[in-house]
Amino acid sequence: MFKNLDLQKRLVNEFGLTLRQAKKVITTYPVPYIKESLEIIKHKIHQKLIKNIPAYTLTVLKNDYCATIQDKQKISILSNPKEDARCQISY
């Protein structure tokens, strides 16, 4: 039986990966890394900064785009905007 079925469904339904791609992602990368990356990608999708969501998702995971402290801080600020009102998100 395949583990992380909810994450697999999220990769397919929200990020447009094929079932095969989703399974490969889950077996290749640690689950916390995938979830953190997806939150950053989701924000960029909301800002309409991504044209090809499945390709961008795979590229981010492969190249570890989301490991920068700056991106992690942006997600933290988005989750709790009152935490640091001085920060401006820019891309």
Side-chain angles (χ1 to χ4, degrees):
M1 183 150 240
F2 189 72
K3 293 181 179 182
N4 298 305
L5 191 56
D6 289 338
L7 182 56
Q8 175 185 299
K9 287 179 183 178
R10 186 173 180 211
L11 287 165
V12 171
N13 296 330
E14 288 182 46
F15 297 90
L17 273 59
T18 65
L19 185 57
R20 183 177 180 184
Q21 289 170 324
K23 286 180 179 181
K24 184 172 181 177
V25 163
I26 292 170
T27 58
T28 303
Y29 306 104
V31 171
Y33 169 72
I34 297 168
K35 289 180 178 181
E36 179 181 323
S37 297
L38 294 181
E39 289 307 308
I40 293 169
I41 295 165
K42 192 164 83 171
H43 171 69
K44 290 186 179 190
I45 292 168
H46 179 71
Q47 296 295 318
K48 300 186 187 319
L49 298 172
I50 303 171
K51 293 181 182 179
N52 186 335
I53 296 168
Y56 185 78
T57 300
L58 293 173
T59 301
V60 165
L61 291 166
K62 181 179 177 185
N63 295 318
D64 198 10
Y65 286 7
C66 299
T68 66
I69 293 172
Q70 186 177 16
D71 276 345
K72 289 179 183 178
Q73 289 172 339
K74 289 175 186 176
I75 291 302
S76 175
I77 292 164
L78 289 173
S79 299
N80 188 2
K82 293 182 180 180
E83 187 175 303
D84 189 351
R86 295 172 293 138
C87 295
Q88 297 291 323
I89 297 174
S90 60
Y91 292 95

